[in-house]
Amino acid sequence: MTSTTPLRQTAAWAALEAHQASLAGQHLRGLFAADPTRGTRLTAEAAGIYLDYSKNLVTDETMALLVALAEETGVEARRDAMFAGEAINNTEGRAVLHTALRMPRGYASLPTRVAGVSEIHGVLDKMAAFAERVRSGEWKGYTGKPIRNVVNLGIGGSDLGPAMAYEALRPYSRRDMVFRFVSNVDGSDFAEATRDLDPEETLFIVASKTFTTIETMTNANTARDWLLEKLCDKIAIAAHFVAVSTNAVEVARFGIDTDNMFGFWDWVGGRYSLTSAIGLSLMLAIGPDHFGELLDGFHAMDEHFRTAPIAENLPMLLGLLGLWYSNFHGAETQAVLPYDQYLNKLTAYLQQLDMESNGKSVDRDGRRLDYNTGPVVFGQPGTNGQHAFYQLIHQGTRLIPCDFIGCCQTQNPLNVHHDLLMANLFAQTRALAFGKTAEEVAGEEKDAELVPHRVFEGNRPTNTILVDRLTPQALGALIALYEHKVFTQGAVWGINSFDQWGVQLGKVLATELGEVFSGKAKAALDSSTEALVARYLSRKG
Ligand code: F6P
């Protein structure tokens, strides 16, 4: 047991509560009018990422109090413990060392005393050699044809990271190869992903940390049947299946030669595993050099997070601002709105990162919390979201903090598209911050009854995050920014952001019901589930 002061009894928390009350009536219109330098002053930059947090409901005093909260709750000490390889994942007795995955070869602070850390670059080299063989056509399928299609079979962290990063880095990928990501246990996912593929030219990567996840193993078994249906020889499996896992025993049991297994370690959480061998499909797509640049971007942000003072530390600033709204303004959600089509899977990726990490209601010692933790993360790429859910952000009754993400340079300079895209991004943050008053509306609207409908209150907080161009490096820095934002919040809230017990019960009950479906077992079900199961079984055809 640790004997830390409960969060709501810290001096910083009390000061923030009093301060929040004293801000009533303040509006971003007034804050910007009073300080012409606000838009350049309340900014920070690191690892190629520019953060403008001036359009938040904060004053200099707010920021100082949030920094004090981070100090009083020991965020820096906890960060240092993570980097040092201490077992900060206390409920599983594990270190949390995804940051070691991107430390350069020979890096002085590599925590080599943790088992596995000294093997990181060996695995990266093995991945690179394999990727080169596949990309060059040297690695052949069973019938002697080169591999043209790569299908990653994984779910959660063994899917979302590679799938998101492949989308984001398509301009850097091999356009003459096909990359697909199958995650859902719904057979339609597998069927649609493989319907136009030739098994002779297809490589499956079975990506699973545990190699026991039911969805992934079901897809892997189906993939094996699909392959053998055409190739009719079990020996073919060796040329068409590789595994990424920590579980060599299960990999071998499945029939994959462990020489064709790429390992990682229990101190890499699933949702933090993109820079481990779980990134193999991505490396095949973009090549080892670009993959190395991605790692460099992650590392640059890691170093910033590890060394920058709290008040200049981008992930800490984002974390503290989010917490300001969750805990002192009653916000329940966090929108992430990337104005870049290539980032169209970013929000789904961040949902797992944030919500699986910080969806907790007890502290590290198991005590029930009396404050809110992780928000509901949602979003869509701009400008699509503008024509769907932004109405609620602008005029709804809830406060929804938003992160707007944009790139100064486009990968596809067509016509006026990019200027229009960015004009929309900046316009949205202006509209949200400053709104439109009843007087302003009345100047344009003759029908007085319509005035209240057309008023925008404004004072709705946003961060604007800009990168120059969506390179592998920039993507790495951006993801690490969010990883450490989540870390910062978890540290202040006093929770363990690195376990996910909350997904277990559903898994157990699904397995039990599967046995009921197949008649292998009976279960005492509630009346609702019993009726639903009966209806399903009688109609499934
Ligand atoms: O959803 C729970 C979870 O354990 C995630 O944390 C993980 O990313 C996912 O399942 C997949 O796990 P595995 O890589 O072991 O198949």
Coordinates of all heavy atoms in Angstrom, one line a residue, residues 154-159 207-213 216 264 269-271 273 278 352 356 500 503-504 507, ligand 1:
G154 N -5.0 -9.8 -36.3 CA -4.8 -9.4 -34.9 C -6.0 -8.6 -34.5 O -6.9 -8.3 -35.3
I155 N -6.0 -8.3 -33.2 CA -7.1 -7.4 -32.7 C -6.6 -6.5 -31.6 O -5.6 -6.8 -31.0 CB -8.3 -8.3 -32.3 CG1 -9.6 -7.5 -32.2 CG2 -8.0 -9.0 -30.9 CD1 -10.9 -8.3 -32.1
G156 N -7.4 -5.5 -31.4 CA -6.9 -4.5 -30.3 C -5.6 -3.9 -30.7 O -5.3 -3.5 -31.9
G157 N -4.7 -4.0 -29.8 CA -3.3 -3.4 -30.0 C -2.6 -4.1 -31.1 O -1.6 -3.6 -31.6
S158 N -3.0 -5.4 -31.4 CA -2.3 -6.1 -32.4 C -2.8 -5.9 -33.8 O -2.4 -6.5 -34.7 CB -2.3 -7.6 -32.0 OG -1.7 -7.8 -30.8
D159 N -3.7 -4.9 -33.9 CA -4.4 -4.6 -35.1 C -4.4 -3.1 -35.3 O -4.0 -2.5 -36.4 CB -5.8 -5.1 -35.1 CG -6.7 -4.5 -36.2 OD1 -6.4 -4.8 -37.4 OD2 -7.5 -3.6 -35.9
A207 N -0.7 -11.9 -35.5 CA -0.1 -11.0 -34.5 C -1.0 -11.1 -33.2 O -2.1 -10.6 -33.2 CB -0.2 -9.6 -35.1
S208 N -0.4 -11.6 -32.2 CA -1.1 -11.7 -30.9 C -0.1 -11.9 -29.8 O 0.7 -12.8 -29.8 CB -2.0 -12.9 -30.9 OG -2.6 -13.1 -29.7
K209 N -0.1 -10.9 -28.9 CA 0.8 -11.0 -27.8 C 0.7 -12.3 -27.0 O 1.7 -13.0 -26.8 CB 0.5 -9.8 -26.8 CG 1.5 -9.8 -25.6 CD 1.2 -8.5 -24.8 CE 1.9 -8.5 -23.5 NZ 1.7 -7.3 -22.7
T210 N -0.5 -12.7 -26.8 CA -0.7 -13.9 -26.0 C -0.9 -15.2 -26.8 O -0.7 -16.3 -26.4 CB -2.1 -13.8 -25.2 OG1 -3.1 -13.5 -26.2 CG2 -2.0 -12.7 -24.2
F211 N -1.2 -15.0 -28.1 CA -1.5 -16.1 -29.0 C -2.6 -17.0 -28.5 O -2.7 -18.2 -28.9 CB -0.3 -16.9 -29.3 CG -0.1 -17.1 -30.8 CD1 0.4 -16.1 -31.6 CD2 -0.4 -18.4 -31.4 CE1 0.5 -16.3 -33.0 CE2 -0.2 -18.6 -32.8 CZ 0.2 -17.5 -33.6
T212 N -3.5 -16.4 -27.8 CA -4.7 -17.2 -27.3 C -6.0 -16.4 -27.5 O -7.1 -16.9 -27.2 CB -4.6 -17.4 -25.8 OG1 -4.4 -16.2 -25.1 CG2 -3.4 -18.3 -25.4
T213 N -5.9 -15.2 -28.1 CA -7.1 -14.4 -28.2 C -8.0 -15.0 -29.2 O -7.6 -15.3 -30.4 CB -6.6 -12.9 -28.7 OG1 -5.7 -12.4 -27.7 CG2 -7.8 -12.0 -28.8
T216 N -8.4 -13.7 -32.9 CA -7.3 -13.8 -33.8 C -7.0 -15.3 -34.1 O -6.7 -15.6 -35.3 CB -6.0 -13.2 -33.1 OG1 -6.3 -11.8 -32.8 CG2 -4.8 -13.3 -34.0
F264 N 8.3 -10.3 -28.8 CA 8.4 -9.2 -27.9 C 8.2 -9.6 -26.5 O 8.4 -10.8 -26.2 CB 7.5 -8.0 -28.4 CG 6.1 -8.2 -28.5 CD1 5.2 -7.5 -27.7 CD2 5.5 -9.1 -29.4 CE1 3.8 -7.7 -27.8 CE2 4.1 -9.3 -29.5 CZ 3.3 -8.6 -28.7
G269 N 2.7 -3.3 -23.5 CA 1.3 -3.5 -23.4 C 0.7 -3.5 -24.9 O 1.3 -2.9 -25.8
G270 N -0.4 -4.2 -25.1 CA -0.9 -4.4 -26.4 C -1.1 -3.0 -27.1 O -0.7 -2.8 -28.2
R271 N -1.7 -2.1 -26.4 CA -2.0 -0.8 -27.0 C -0.8 0.1 -27.2 O -0.9 1.2 -27.7 CB -3.1 -0.1 -26.2 CG -2.9 0.0 -24.7 CD -4.2 0.4 -24.0 NE -4.0 0.4 -22.5 CZ -4.1 -0.7 -21.8 NH1 -4.4 -1.9 -22.4 NH2 -4.0 -0.7 -20.5
S273 N 2.1 -1.3 -28.5 CA 3.0 -2.3 -29.1 C 3.3 -2.0 -30.6 O 4.0 -2.8 -31.2 CB 2.4 -3.7 -29.0 OG 1.2 -3.7 -29.7
I278 N 5.0 -6.1 -33.4 CA 3.6 -6.0 -33.9 C 3.6 -5.0 -35.1 O 2.7 -5.1 -35.9 CB 2.7 -5.4 -32.7 CG1 2.5 -6.5 -31.7 CG2 1.4 -4.9 -33.2 CD1 1.6 -7.7 -32.1
Q352 N -8.6 3.0 -28.1 CA -8.1 1.9 -27.3 C -7.0 2.5 -26.3 O -7.0 2.2 -25.1 CB -7.5 0.8 -28.1 CG -7.1 -0.4 -27.3 CD -6.1 -1.3 -27.9 OE1 -5.4 -1.0 -28.8 NE2 -5.9 -2.5 -27.3
E356 N -8.8 2.1 -22.8 CA -8.4 0.9 -22.2 C -7.4 1.2 -21.1 O -7.3 0.5 -20.1 CB -7.8 -0.1 -23.2 CG -7.9 -1.5 -22.8 CD -7.6 -2.6 -23.9 OE1 -6.4 -2.6 -24.2 OE2 -8.4 -3.3 -24.4
Q500 N -5.9 -4.1 -18.0 CA -7.2 -4.0 -18.7 C -8.1 -5.1 -18.3 O -8.6 -5.9 -19.1 CB -7.0 -4.0 -20.2 CG -6.3 -5.1 -20.9 CD -4.8 -5.1 -20.7 OE1 -4.2 -4.0 -20.8 NE2 -4.2 -6.2 -20.4
V503 N -11.8 -6.1 -19.6 CA -12.2 -6.8 -20.8 C -12.4 -8.3 -20.6 O -12.9 -9.0 -21.5 CB -11.3 -6.6 -22.0 CG1 -11.2 -5.1 -22.4 CG2 -9.9 -7.1 -21.7
Q504 N -12.0 -8.8 -19.4 CA -12.0 -10.2 -19.1 C -13.4 -10.9 -19.1 O -13.6 -11.9 -19.7 CB -11.2 -10.5 -17.8 CG -9.8 -10.2 -17.8 CD -9.1 -10.9 -19.0 OE1 -9.4 -12.0 -19.3 NE2 -8.1 -10.2 -19.6
K507 N -15.1 -11.8 -22.2 CA -14.4 -12.9 -22.9 C -14.9 -14.2 -22.3 O -15.2 -15.1 -23.0 CB -12.9 -12.8 -22.7 CG -12.2 -11.7 -23.5 CD -10.7 -11.8 -23.3 CE -10.0 -10.6 -23.9 NZ -8.5 -10.7 -23.7
Ligands
F6P1 O1 -8.8 -6.2 -25.4 C1 -7.9 -6.8 -24.6 C2 -6.6 -7.1 -25.2 O2 -5.9 -7.8 -24.2 C3 -5.9 -5.8 -25.6 O3 -5.3 -5.1 -24.6 C4 -4.9 -6.3 -26.6 O4 -4.4 -5.3 -27.4 C5 -5.9 -7.3 -27.4 O5 -6.7 -7.8 -26.4 C6 -5.2 -8.3 -28.2 O6 -4.4 -9.2 -27.4 P1 -3.4 -10.2 -28.1 O7 -2.3 -9.3 -28.7 O8 -2.8 -11.0 -26.9 O9 -4.1 -11.0 -29.1

